[in-house]
């Protein structure tokens, strides 16, 4: 069993797949704390969790002259300034189940909790690349990452990001060795993972083994033939993955975490809670909540860490308390967020449906019953 060495997990997690392990917390727990506890943070593994000995771990970095640089965990910690960043990580497939409800897609049945926020600490990727001999104006196109997790044929997980992004200090790209003040947990990439704030989860390579720089994107399956968006009319017979760019920055997103779908709520005032986030450092500027299917709206109160405009990597938790209209038996609760570029979420799923079920960010809808 290649999964026999996987770590133990928190029993509250809702498991979407046991091998490889994929799980999310109950969504209502997400709005309890601004930083998501490591044990409850969603886990998205494509392969068995590798067992890495921190004493012998070596990160390989391919230098500009082709010669590899090798760094131990101790060297990564001591030779480069420690940098901390609070960033939200979201899987491209978050809220896929809502897309699946419109029409069958291929992928794990994620609810609304394949997203979480952590305080990450590590070395800046640009400092490590500079140490290896790269300069920001070198004109390279991509930085490729390879994980130490591999399938039975030896194929490792891989992804890439633009070189320009990697070398820009303001993008805060990390080689993280800590998550919320602890050593990176095994499920989250122990001992070192890439954290690319504002960018889809798939590029945040865990169990980082090798970094290379070059003219092309990662040739991995996950960069080339997955994690791309298509028109709703494209199906598995007609799809051509070379025609769409790999997802990097994510679109504006929000979801209701409380009340939970199908709940019974007392009459009077109702408090609605949730999260909102956008990719590319575009902060959330407003969340609108409706209790009546979108006829009237309430503006939610946003809470979270203050971050520099353009570098707002973390989500906002939001809440609003509003009166339930008297005599109403059911509420159609909606939320929609607006980001710093005034991007808004689409109102329904069907026009953004795609065969892989990624980028599912329509208005979130929760129906509850009002106690009589
Ligand atoms: N890195 C490796 N090496 N292997 C993986 O399977 N999954 C990716 C990314 N990095 C993955 C990986 C995907 S699709 C996501 S959404 C995030 O890790 C999930 O990170 P998490 O498990 O820490 O929440
Ligand atoms: Mo993902």
């Amino acid at each position: 069993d290649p999964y026999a060495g996987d770590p133990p997990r928190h029993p509250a997690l809702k498991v979407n797949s046991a091998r490889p392990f994929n799980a999310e917390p109950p969504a209502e727990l997400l709005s309890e704390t601004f930083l998501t506890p490591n044990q409850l943070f969603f886990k998205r593994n494509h392969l068995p969790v590798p067992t890495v000995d921190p004493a012998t771990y070596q990160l390989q970095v391919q230098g500009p002259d082709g010669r590899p640089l090798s760094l131990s965990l101790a060297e990564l910690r001591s030779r480069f300034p420690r940098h901390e960043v609070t960033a939200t990580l979201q899987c491209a497939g978050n809220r896929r189940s809502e897309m699946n409800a419109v029409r069958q897609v291929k992928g794990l049945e994620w609810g609304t909790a394949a997203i979480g926020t952590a305080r990450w600490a590590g070395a800046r990727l640009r400092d490590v690349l500079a140490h290896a001999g790269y300069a920001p104006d070198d004109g390279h196109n991509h930085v490729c990452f390879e994980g130490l997790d591999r399938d039975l044929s030896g194929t490792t997980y891989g992804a890439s990001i633009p070189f320009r992004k990697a070398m820009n200090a303001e993008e805060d790209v990390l080689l993280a060795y800590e998550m919320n003040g602890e050593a990176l947990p095994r499920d989250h990439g122990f001992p070192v993972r890439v954290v690319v704030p504002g960018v889809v989860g798939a590029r945040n390579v865990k169990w980082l083994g090798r970094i290379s720089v070059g003219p092309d994107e990662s040739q991995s399956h996950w960069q080339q033939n997955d994690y791309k968006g298509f028109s709703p009319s494209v199906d598995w017979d007609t799809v051509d993955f070379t025609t769409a760019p790999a997802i990097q920055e994510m679109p504006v997103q929000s979801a209701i975490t409380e009340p939970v779908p199908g709940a019974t709520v007392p009459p009077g005032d109702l408090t609605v809670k949730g999260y909102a986030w956008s990719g590319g450092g575009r902060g959330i500027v407003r969340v609108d909540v409706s209790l009546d299917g979108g006829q009237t709206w309430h503006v939610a109160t946003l809470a979270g860490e203050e971050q520099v405009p353009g570098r707002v990597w973390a989500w906002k938790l939001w809440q609003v308390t509003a009166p339930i209209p008297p005599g109403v038996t059911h509420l159609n609760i909606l939320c929609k967020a607006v980001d710093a570029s005034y991007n808004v979420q689409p109102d329904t799923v069907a026009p953004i449906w795609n065969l892989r079920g990624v980028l599912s960010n329509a208005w979130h809808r929760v129906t509850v019953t009002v106690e009589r």
Side-chain angles (χ1 to χ4, degrees):
D1 174 8
Y3 294 94
D6 270 23
R9 279 101 181 193
H10 197 283
L13 290 172
K14 299 198 273 188
V15 178
N16 292 333
S17 148
R19 295 152 198 240
F21 191 74
N22 288 286
E24 65 189 299
E28 62 273 24
L29 296 185
L30 288 183
S31 47
E32 303 253 298
T33 55
F34 175 70
L35 296 179
T36 314
N38 291 352
Q39 288 191 313
L40 293 173
F41 205 100
F42 82 97
K43 293 153 204 334
R44 204 290 177 240
N45 299 339
H46 291 83
L47 299 162
V49 175
T51 301
V52 183
D53 178 355
T56 57
Y57 170 79
Q58 293 285 328
L59 172 62
Q60 307 295 329
V61 186
Q62 173 228 296
D65 53 2
R67 261 192 301 137
L69 165 77
S70 186
L71 292 166
S72 69
L73 183 58
E75 286 169 331
L76 199 65
R77 283 175 168 277
S78 64
R79 281 206 195 160
F80 306 94
R82 174 196 164 85
H83 188 69
E84 290 192 17
V85 56
T86 307
T88 295
L89 189 71
Q90 181 182 219
C91 182
N94 189 34
R95 302 183 58 197
R96 178 179 285 127
S97 55
E98 292 162 68
M99 236 173 229
N100 218 15
V102 168
R103 196 146 46 98
Q104 180 79 51
V105 299
K106 218 179 259 184
L108 295 162
E109 274 283 301
W110 293 112
T112 54
I115 185 169
T117 299
R119 182 92 178 144
W120 308 95
R124 284 185 194 263
L125 174 59
R126 71 187 295 268
D127 293 345
V128 172
L129 289 176
H131 180 74
Y134 294 98
D137 57 1
D138 276 355
H140 298 293
N141 292 337
H142 302 282
V143 180
C144 300
F145 309 113
E146 264 177 56
L148 295 167
D149 48 338
R150 49 183 68 235
D151 67 15
L152 291 174
S153 76
T155 305
T156 54
Y157 185 84
S160 61
I161 61 169
F163 179 75
R164 188 176 25 81
K165 184 169 181 82
M167 295 304 280
N168 183 346
E170 303 222 321
E171 298 285 350
D172 293 310
V173 182
L174 289 190
L175 303 182
Y177 40 69
E178 277 175 30
M179 180 179 183
N180 290 328
E182 294 169 16
L184 212 55
R186 285 192 62 211
D187 264 326
H188 298 288
F190 180 82
V192 178
R193 83 173 301 166
V194 187
V195 172
V196 194
V199 160
V200 67
R203 315 299 167 217
N204 293 245
V205 174
K206 304 192 276 189
W207 313 291
L208 183 64
R210 185 165 184 272
I211 302 175
S212 59
V213 172
D216 300 316
E217 283 182 275
S218 165
Q219 292 305 299
S220 89
H221 167 80
W222 298 278
Q223 189 83 18
Q224 299 292 333
N225 296 319
D226 201 354
Y227 297 115
K228 293 182 173 187
F230 293 94
S231 158
S233 60
V234 170
D235 62 27
W236 288 102
D237 294 327
T238 57
V239 66
D240 177 357
F241 273 91
T242 64
T243 60
I247 300 166
Q248 295 279 353
E249 290 181 359
M250 297 220 75
V252 58
Q253 175 69 289
S254 71
I256 297 159
T257 55
E258 251 184 68
V260 298
T264 300
V265 301
D269 283 350
L270 177 68
T271 296
V272 183
K273 294 183 184 181
Y275 65 75
W277 179 73
S278 190
R282 290 177 290 274
I284 294 297
V285 299
R286 200 181 76 234
V287 174
D288 299 324
V289 178
S290 176
L291 301 188
D292 56 12
Q295 293 177 62
T296 60
W297 298 92
H298 305 271
V299 176
T301 304
L302 308 180
E305 204 175 276
E306 180 124 4
Q307 294 184 310
V308 178
R311 296 165 71 192
V312 182
W313 309 126
W315 66 12
K316 290 288 185 291
L317 296 181
W318 54 262
Q319 75 172 62
V320 66
T321 301
I324 298 174
V328 164
T329 57
H330 289 277
L331 296 177
N332 294 316
I333 311 173
L334 305 181
C335 76
K336 61 183 177 79
V338 182
D339 77 11
S341 301
Y342 281 101
N343 291 309
V344 296
Q345 297 174 248
D347 55 351
T348 54
V349 180
I352 57 164
W353 185 95
N354 60 86
L355 74 176
R356 216 27 201 95
V358 293
L359 307 167
S360 183
N361 72 331
W363 299 358
H364 189 221
R365 295 158 192 268
V366 166
T367 303
V368 299
T369 304
V370 183
E371 236 169 57
R372 318 212 89 225

